Amino acid sequence: DAKTTQPPSMDCAEGRAANLPCNHSTISGNEYVYWYRQIHSQGPQYIIHGLKNNETNEMASLIITEDRKSSTLILPHATLRDTAVYYCIVRYTGANSKLTFGKGITLSVRP
Amino acid sequence: GAVVSQHPSWVICKSGTSVKIECRSLDFQATTMFWYRQFPKQSLMLMATSNEGSKATYEQGVEKDKFLINHASLTLSTLTVTSAHPEDSSFYICSALTSGGAKDTQYFGPGTRLTVL
C-alpha cells in the first residue's frame, strides 16, 4: 500500500473548522483515501473515504486534489469531542486489502 | 455506520492462562475480519486477517500457534491468546469488513484491554 505523511499534531478552536492535511504522493489509480480517528482508549472510528471526487457526510468533508497526491479532511465545526488521533490511509478495496496505520495526526480542540 | 462489538472490554489474567476475545458484527455479515494490537503510545499493528470458513492469514512475526483465530460464522470471529505472558499485555482491536466494491469499509470494535500478571 502507498504510504501517507501527516503532520504530527495541530490544534484548532472549538466551533471553527479543522482542516487536516495528508500527503499521498505515491497513490496509485485505484487506491482510495480513507480517514479514521481514534479517541483515547477506544477503537478507531470510520469517518469517510473517497477515490477522486470530493466527498461529504454527516461527520466531515474530504477534499482530494486533482492529481490525487494530497487530501484534506475538514471537520466544519470542531467540538471538544473531536480531539483524537486522525489517520489518513490509502487502500485498495477488496477483502485482501489491508489498512496500514501510520502515526496519524493528533488534533487538539481547545475551548 | 455498521456496529462491531467486542467482549470482554477488559480482562486480567495470570501468566500461563489462555484468554478468548470475541468480535461480532451486529448489523451486517462480514466474510472478512481483522485483528490488531496496539501498545501504549503506538499505532495499530495488524496481526491477522480472518476469513469465514478458512484459516486465518497471519502477519510476519505473529505466532499463529499463540494467537488462535476462529471465524466460524459471518458475524463472529474469536482470538484466543494461549499461554499468555506479561509481554502479551496490550489493547486488542478487531474490525469487520463490509462488502460492496467501492463502498467496502472496515468498522472497528471498541477494543479489549488485556493485562497479564
Side-chain angles (χ1 to χ4, degrees):
Chain A
D1 290 351
K3 292 184 178 179
T4 63
T5 56
Q6 301 176 256
S9 64
M10 66 176 290
D11 63 12
C12 74
E14 189 176 21
R16 305 298 293 269
N19 298 309
L20 287 72
C22 180
N23 287 322
H24 30 79
S25 58
T26 59
I27 192 171
S28 63
N30 50 0
E31 284 185 306
Y32 285 71
V33 180
Y34 284 78
W35 282 83
Y36 285 81
R37 72 181 182 184
Q38 187 177 26
I39 296 169
H40 183 63
S41 296
Q42 298 182 23
Q45 178 187 23
Y46 166 77
I47 300 173
I48 198 167
H49 75 283
L51 182 62
K52 54 184 177 182
N53 297 322
N54 297 337
E55 301 286 345
T56 295
N57 63 21
E58 64 279 3
M59 289 183 67
S61 294
L62 173 60
I63 309 298
I64 302 174
T65 57
E66 192 169 343
D67 63 7
R68 301 210 325 123
K69 293 184 177 182
S70 66
S71 61
T72 301
L73 179 75
I74 301 173
L75 307 179
H77 306 287
T79 70
L80 299 179
R81 289 178 296 179
D82 292 322
T83 293
V85 179
Y86 287 76
Y87 297 97
C88 169
I89 304 168
V90 293
R91 170 187 175 265
Y92 298 99
T93 58
N96 294 322
S97 181
K98 308 168 189 176
L99 282 175
T100 301
F101 285 80
K103 296 182 179 180
I105 178 172
T106 299
L107 172 68
S108 300
V109 181
R110 60 180 188 276
Chain B
V3 180
V4 177
S5 70
Q6 277 184 246
H7 178 79
S9 56
W10 60 269
V11 57
I12 301 173
C13 69
K14 293 182 179 180
S15 185
T17 61
S18 295
V19 173
K20 180 185 283 188
I21 302 169
E22 292 186 349
C23 176
R24 294 181 185 274
S25 56
L26 297 185
D27 51 0
F28 66 101
Q29 294 184 327
T31 304
T32 304
M33 292 183 172
F34 302 86
W35 287 96
Y36 295 80
R37 180 168 52 180
Q38 186 175 33
F39 292 107
K41 297 188 178 181
Q42 294 186 23
S43 192
L44 281 77
M45 294 296 295
L46 179 65
M47 299 175 66
T49 302
S50 166
N51 288 295
E52 187 266 338
S54 63
K55 291 184 178 180
T57 302
Y58 291 82
E59 295 299 299
Q60 192 172 10
V62 177
E63 300 174 57
K64 62 180 181 180
D65 294 331
K66 180 170 183 62
F67 299 99
L68 302 179
I69 292 172
N70 184 280
H71 191 161
S73 79
L74 289 173
T75 59
L76 173 64
S77 177
T78 60
L79 169 69
T80 301
V81 183
T82 63
S83 187
H85 291 286
E87 57 266 30
D88 299 321
S89 298
S90 189
F91 192 47
Y92 291 86
I93 310 167
C94 73
S95 70
L97 181 68
T98 64
S99 57
K103 294 187 182 298
D104 84 8
T105 302
Q106 282 188 42
Y107 290 92
F108 286 80
T112 296
R113 188 160 303 282
L114 170 64
T115 302
V116 185
L117 302 177

PDB file of all heavy atoms in Angstrom, chain A residues 3 10 18 22-24 31 42 45 48 50 52-53 55 69 85 87-89 95 98 108-109:
ATOM      1  N   LYS A   3       2.159   4.882   1.030  1.00  0.00           N
ATOM      2  CA  LYS A   3       2.266   5.476   2.362  1.00  0.00           C
ATOM      3  C   LYS A   3       1.695   6.884   2.358  1.00  0.00           C
ATOM      4  O   LYS A   3       1.575   7.524   1.327  1.00  0.00           O
ATOM      5  CB  LYS A   3       3.716   5.500   2.788  1.00  0.00           C
ATOM      6  CG  LYS A   3       4.300   4.125   3.036  1.00  0.00           C
ATOM      7  CD  LYS A   3       5.721   4.213   3.545  1.00  0.00           C
ATOM      8  CE  LYS A   3       6.268   2.843   3.840  1.00  0.00           C
ATOM      9  NZ  LYS A   3       7.669   2.912   4.313  1.00  0.00           N
ATOM     10  N   MET A  10      -1.835  19.172  15.452  1.00  0.00           N
ATOM     11  CA  MET A  10      -2.355  20.502  15.181  1.00  0.00           C
ATOM     12  C   MET A  10      -3.443  20.789  16.196  1.00  0.00           C
ATOM     13  O   MET A  10      -3.953  19.867  16.842  1.00  0.00           O
ATOM     14  CB  MET A  10      -2.903  20.626  13.759  1.00  0.00           C
ATOM     15  CG  MET A  10      -4.117  19.788  13.450  1.00  0.00           C
ATOM     16  SD  MET A  10      -4.765  20.090  11.794  1.00  0.00           S
ATOM     17  CE  MET A  10      -5.428  21.742  11.979  1.00  0.00           C
ATOM     18  N   ALA A  18     -11.724  22.530  11.320  1.00  0.00           N
ATOM     19  CA  ALA A  18     -10.407  21.892  11.432  1.00  0.00           C
ATOM     20  C   ALA A  18     -10.077  21.286  10.070  1.00  0.00           C
ATOM     21  O   ALA A  18     -10.862  20.492   9.538  1.00  0.00           O
ATOM     22  CB  ALA A  18     -10.427  20.818  12.508  1.00  0.00           C
ATOM     23  N   CYS A  22      -3.066  15.692   4.403  1.00  0.00           N
ATOM     24  CA  CYS A  22      -2.430  14.384   4.225  1.00  0.00           C
ATOM     25  C   CYS A  22      -1.793  14.338   2.845  1.00  0.00           C
ATOM     26  O   CYS A  22      -2.419  14.731   1.856  1.00  0.00           O
ATOM     27  CB  CYS A  22      -3.478  13.272   4.363  1.00  0.00           C
ATOM     28  SG  CYS A  22      -2.806  11.612   4.153  1.00  0.00           S
ATOM     29  N   ASN A  23      -0.554  13.902   2.802  1.00  0.00           N
ATOM     30  CA  ASN A  23       0.135  13.712   1.524  1.00  0.00           C
ATOM     31  C   ASN A  23       0.213  12.231   1.185  1.00  0.00           C
ATOM     32  O   ASN A  23       0.548  11.403   2.049  1.00  0.00           O
ATOM     33  CB  ASN A  23       1.546  14.299   1.579  1.00  0.00           C
ATOM     34  CG  ASN A  23       1.524  15.809   1.547  1.00  0.00           C
ATOM     35  OD1 ASN A  23       0.720  16.406   0.851  1.00  0.00           O
ATOM     36  ND2 ASN A  23       2.387  16.433   2.309  1.00  0.00           N
ATOM     37  N   HIS A  24      -0.093  11.910  -0.040  1.00  0.00           N
ATOM     38  CA  HIS A  24      -0.007  10.521  -0.521  1.00  0.00           C
ATOM     39  C   HIS A  24       0.460  10.565  -1.962  1.00  0.00           C
ATOM     40  O   HIS A  24      -0.276  10.175  -2.883  1.00  0.00           O
ATOM     41  CB  HIS A  24      -1.333   9.778  -0.362  1.00  0.00           C
ATOM     42  CG  HIS A  24      -2.564  10.624  -0.460  1.00  0.00           C
ATOM     43  ND1 HIS A  24      -3.094  11.049  -1.667  1.00  0.00           N
ATOM     44  CD2 HIS A  24      -3.360  11.126   0.512  1.00  0.00           C
ATOM     45  CE1 HIS A  24      -4.178  11.773  -1.429  1.00  0.00           C
ATOM     46  NE2 HIS A  24      -4.361  11.854  -0.115  1.00  0.00           N
ATOM     47  N   GLU A  31      -6.431   3.220  -5.766  1.00  0.00           N
ATOM     48  CA  GLU A  31      -6.388   3.261  -4.299  1.00  0.00           C
ATOM     49  C   GLU A  31      -7.277   4.387  -3.788  1.00  0.00           C
ATOM     50  O   GLU A  31      -7.265   5.491  -4.327  1.00  0.00           O
ATOM     51  CB  GLU A  31      -4.954   3.467  -3.800  1.00  0.00           C
ATOM     52  CG  GLU A  31      -4.106   2.213  -3.882  1.00  0.00           C
ATOM     53  CD  GLU A  31      -2.737   2.412  -3.271  1.00  0.00           C
ATOM     54  OE1 GLU A  31      -2.043   3.360  -3.685  1.00  0.00           O
ATOM     55  OE2 GLU A  31      -2.369   1.622  -2.387  1.00  0.00           O
ATOM     56  N   GLN A  42     -10.066   3.865  22.739  1.00  0.00           N
ATOM     57  CA  GLN A  42     -11.206   3.324  22.011  1.00  0.00           C
ATOM     58  C   GLN A  42     -10.738   2.757  20.672  1.00  0.00           C
ATOM     59  O   GLN A  42      -9.623   3.028  20.227  1.00  0.00           O
ATOM     60  CB  GLN A  42     -12.252   4.405  21.752  1.00  0.00           C
ATOM     61  CG  GLN A  42     -12.858   5.005  23.021  1.00  0.00           C
ATOM     62  CD  GLN A  42     -13.917   6.034  22.720  1.00  0.00           C
ATOM     63  OE1 GLN A  42     -14.528   6.041  21.654  1.00  0.00           O
ATOM     64  NE2 GLN A  42     -14.147   6.931  23.661  1.00  0.00           N
ATOM     65  N   GLN A  45     -12.598   4.925  14.646  1.00  0.00           N
ATOM     66  CA  GLN A  45     -13.919   5.223  14.099  1.00  0.00           C
ATOM     67  C   GLN A  45     -13.769   5.630  12.645  1.00  0.00           C
ATOM     68  O   GLN A  45     -12.972   6.515  12.326  1.00  0.00           O
ATOM     69  CB  GLN A  45     -14.577   6.341  14.902  1.00  0.00           C
ATOM     70  CG  GLN A  45     -15.943   6.774  14.380  1.00  0.00           C
ATOM     71  CD  GLN A  45     -16.474   7.994  15.102  1.00  0.00           C
ATOM     72  OE1 GLN A  45     -15.735   8.781  15.679  1.00  0.00           O
ATOM     73  NE2 GLN A  45     -17.789   8.165  15.088  1.00  0.00           N
ATOM     74  N   ILE A  48     -14.659   8.754   6.701  1.00  0.00           N
ATOM     75  CA  ILE A  48     -15.038   8.989   5.305  1.00  0.00           C
ATOM     76  C   ILE A  48     -13.991   8.382   4.390  1.00  0.00           C
ATOM     77  O   ILE A  48     -12.862   8.120   4.835  1.00  0.00           O
ATOM     78  CB  ILE A  48     -15.150  10.519   5.072  1.00  0.00           C
ATOM     79  CG1 ILE A  48     -15.958  10.862   3.810  1.00  0.00           C
ATOM     80  CG2 ILE A  48     -13.769  11.171   5.020  1.00  0.00           C
ATOM     81  CD1 ILE A  48     -16.356  12.341   3.740  1.00  0.00           C
ATOM     82  N   GLY A  50     -12.770   8.273  -0.110  1.00  0.00           N
ATOM     83  CA  GLY A  50     -13.045   8.711  -1.466  1.00  0.00           C
ATOM     84  C   GLY A  50     -11.951   8.275  -2.424  1.00  0.00           C
ATOM     85  O   GLY A  50     -10.848   7.922  -2.001  1.00  0.00           O
ATOM     86  N   LYS A  52     -11.531  10.020  -5.990  1.00  0.00           N
ATOM     87  CA  LYS A  52     -11.013  11.225  -6.626  1.00  0.00           C
ATOM     88  C   LYS A  52     -11.962  12.411  -6.502  1.00  0.00           C
ATOM     89  O   LYS A  52     -11.519  13.556  -6.521  1.00  0.00           O
ATOM     90  CB  LYS A  52     -10.681  10.970  -8.086  1.00  0.00           C
ATOM     91  CG  LYS A  52     -11.809  10.399  -8.908  1.00  0.00           C
ATOM     92  CD  LYS A  52     -11.318  10.103 -10.318  1.00  0.00           C
ATOM     93  CE  LYS A  52     -12.423   9.449 -11.155  1.00  0.00           C
ATOM     94  NZ  LYS A  52     -11.951   9.114 -12.506  1.00  0.00           N
ATOM     95  N   ASN A  53     -13.236  12.131  -6.334  1.00  0.00           N
ATOM     96  CA  ASN A  53     -14.181  13.221  -6.142  1.00  0.00           C
ATOM     97  C   ASN A  53     -14.237  13.608  -4.673  1.00  0.00           C
ATOM     98  O   ASN A  53     -13.940  12.808  -3.795  1.00  0.00           O
ATOM     99  CB  ASN A  53     -15.578  12.801  -6.595  1.00  0.00           C
ATOM    100  CG  ASN A  53     -15.615  12.492  -8.074  1.00  0.00           C
ATOM    101  OD1 ASN A  53     -14.963  13.161  -8.870  1.00  0.00           O
ATOM    102  ND2 ASN A  53     -16.372  11.472  -8.437  1.00  0.00           N
ATOM    103  N   GLU A  55     -15.896  14.253  -1.188  1.00  0.00           N
ATOM    104  CA  GLU A  55     -16.962  13.539  -0.509  1.00  0.00           C
ATOM    105  C   GLU A  55     -17.369  14.302   0.746  1.00  0.00           C
ATOM    106  O   GLU A  55     -16.540  14.955   1.368  1.00  0.00           O
ATOM    107  CB  GLU A  55     -16.505  12.131  -0.120  1.00  0.00           C
ATOM    108  CG  GLU A  55     -16.056  11.246  -1.282  1.00  0.00           C
ATOM    109  CD  GLU A  55     -17.209  10.740  -2.128  1.00  0.00           C
ATOM    110  OE1 GLU A  55     -18.371  10.837  -1.674  1.00  0.00           O
ATOM    111  OE2 GLU A  55     -16.927  10.243  -3.239  1.00  0.00           O
ATOM    112  N   LYS A  69      -2.525  13.552  -5.169  1.00  0.00           N
ATOM    113  CA  LYS A  69      -1.329  13.382  -4.351  1.00  0.00           C
ATOM    114  C   LYS A  69      -1.503  13.898  -2.934  1.00  0.00           C
ATOM    115  O   LYS A  69      -0.622  13.698  -2.082  1.00  0.00           O
ATOM    116  CB  LYS A  69      -0.139  14.052  -5.024  1.00  0.00           C
ATOM    117  CG  LYS A  69       0.274  13.356  -6.322  1.00  0.00           C
ATOM    118  CD  LYS A  69       1.517  13.963  -6.919  1.00  0.00           C
ATOM    119  CE  LYS A  69       1.928  13.176  -8.162  1.00  0.00           C
ATOM    120  NZ  LYS A  69       3.187  13.712  -8.757  1.00  0.00           N
ATOM    121  N   VAL A  85      -6.715  11.203  17.577  1.00  0.00           N
ATOM    122  CA  VAL A  85      -5.690  10.967  16.553  1.00  0.00           C
ATOM    123  C   VAL A  85      -6.415  10.610  15.263  1.00  0.00           C
ATOM    124  O   VAL A  85      -7.270   9.718  15.256  1.00  0.00           O
ATOM    125  CB  VAL A  85      -4.735   9.830  16.957  1.00  0.00           C
ATOM    126  CG1 VAL A  85      -3.699   9.609  15.854  1.00  0.00           C
ATOM    127  CG2 VAL A  85      -4.049  10.145  18.279  1.00  0.00           C
ATOM    128  N   TYR A  87      -6.201   9.358  11.350  1.00  0.00           N
ATOM    129  CA  TYR A  87      -5.357   8.574  10.462  1.00  0.00           C
ATOM    130  C   TYR A  87      -5.848   8.708   9.016  1.00  0.00           C
ATOM    131  O   TYR A  87      -7.021   8.491   8.736  1.00  0.00           O
ATOM    132  CB  TYR A  87      -5.383   7.099  10.836  1.00  0.00           C
ATOM    133  CG  TYR A  87      -4.840   6.779  12.204  1.00  0.00           C
ATOM    134  CD1 TYR A  87      -5.681   6.620  13.291  1.00  0.00           C
ATOM    135  CD2 TYR A  87      -3.457   6.627  12.396  1.00  0.00           C
ATOM    136  CE1 TYR A  87      -5.182   6.307  14.543  1.00  0.00           C
ATOM    137  CE2 TYR A  87      -2.957   6.312  13.651  1.00  0.00           C
ATOM    138  CZ  TYR A  87      -3.822   6.155  14.713  1.00  0.00           C
ATOM    139  OH  TYR A  87      -3.315   5.857  15.946  1.00  0.00           O
ATOM    140  N   CYS A  88      -4.926   9.030   8.143  1.00  0.00           N
ATOM    141  CA  CYS A  88      -5.173   9.066   6.700  1.00  0.00           C
ATOM    142  C   CYS A  88      -4.499   7.820   6.117  1.00  0.00           C
ATOM    143  O   CYS A  88      -3.304   7.612   6.323  1.00  0.00           O
ATOM    144  CB  CYS A  88      -4.573  10.341   6.119  1.00  0.00           C
ATOM    145  SG  CYS A  88      -4.496  10.416   4.315  1.00  0.00           S
ATOM    146  N   ILE A  89      -5.256   6.993   5.414  1.00  0.00           N
ATOM    147  CA  ILE A  89      -4.737   5.712   4.922  1.00  0.00           C
ATOM    148  C   ILE A  89      -5.181   5.536   3.483  1.00  0.00           C
ATOM    149  O   ILE A  89      -6.330   5.839   3.147  1.00  0.00           O
ATOM    150  CB  ILE A  89      -5.296   4.553   5.769  1.00  0.00           C
ATOM    151  CG1 ILE A  89      -4.961   4.760   7.252  1.00  0.00           C
ATOM    152  CG2 ILE A  89      -4.751   3.205   5.279  1.00  0.00           C
ATOM    153  CD1 ILE A  89      -5.706   3.819   8.186  1.00  0.00           C
ATOM    154  N   ALA A  95     -11.361  -7.652  -0.110  1.00  0.00           N
ATOM    155  CA  ALA A  95     -11.143  -8.349   1.155  1.00  0.00           C
ATOM    156  C   ALA A  95      -9.670  -8.540   1.477  1.00  0.00           C
ATOM    157  O   ALA A  95      -9.295  -8.634   2.635  1.00  0.00           O
ATOM    158  CB  ALA A  95     -11.852  -9.696   1.128  1.00  0.00           C
ATOM    159  N   LYS A  98      -5.428  -4.459   3.042  1.00  0.00           N
ATOM    160  CA  LYS A  98      -5.325  -4.146   4.450  1.00  0.00           C
ATOM    161  C   LYS A  98      -5.339  -2.641   4.689  1.00  0.00           C
ATOM    162  O   LYS A  98      -5.039  -1.857   3.797  1.00  0.00           O
ATOM    163  CB  LYS A  98      -4.005  -4.704   4.990  1.00  0.00           C
ATOM    164  CG  LYS A  98      -3.773  -6.158   4.677  1.00  0.00           C
ATOM    165  CD  LYS A  98      -2.332  -6.537   4.985  1.00  0.00           C
ATOM    166  CE  LYS A  98      -2.030  -7.934   4.460  1.00  0.00           C
ATOM    167  NZ  LYS A  98      -0.602  -8.276   4.669  1.00  0.00           N
ATOM    168  N   SER A 108      -5.993  18.574  18.589  1.00  0.00           N
ATOM    169  CA  SER A 108      -6.452  19.052  19.893  1.00  0.00           C
ATOM    170  C   SER A 108      -7.390  20.224  19.662  1.00  0.00           C
ATOM    171  O   SER A 108      -6.992  21.218  19.034  1.00  0.00           O
ATOM    172  CB  SER A 108      -5.267  19.492  20.753  1.00  0.00           C
ATOM    173  OG  SER A 108      -4.377  18.419  20.975  1.00  0.00           O
ATOM    174  N   VAL A 109      -8.600  20.115  20.129  1.00  0.00           N
ATOM    175  CA  VAL A 109      -9.573  21.194  20.014  1.00  0.00           C
ATOM    176  C   VAL A 109      -9.599  21.927  21.342  1.00  0.00           C
ATOM    177  O   VAL A 109      -9.843  21.333  22.394  1.00  0.00           O
ATOM    178  CB  VAL A 109     -10.971  20.654  19.670  1.00  0.00           C
ATOM    179  CG1 VAL A 109     -11.963  21.808  19.538  1.00  0.00           C
ATOM    180  CG2 VAL A 109     -10.920  19.846  18.376  1.00  0.00           C
TER     181      VAL A 109
END
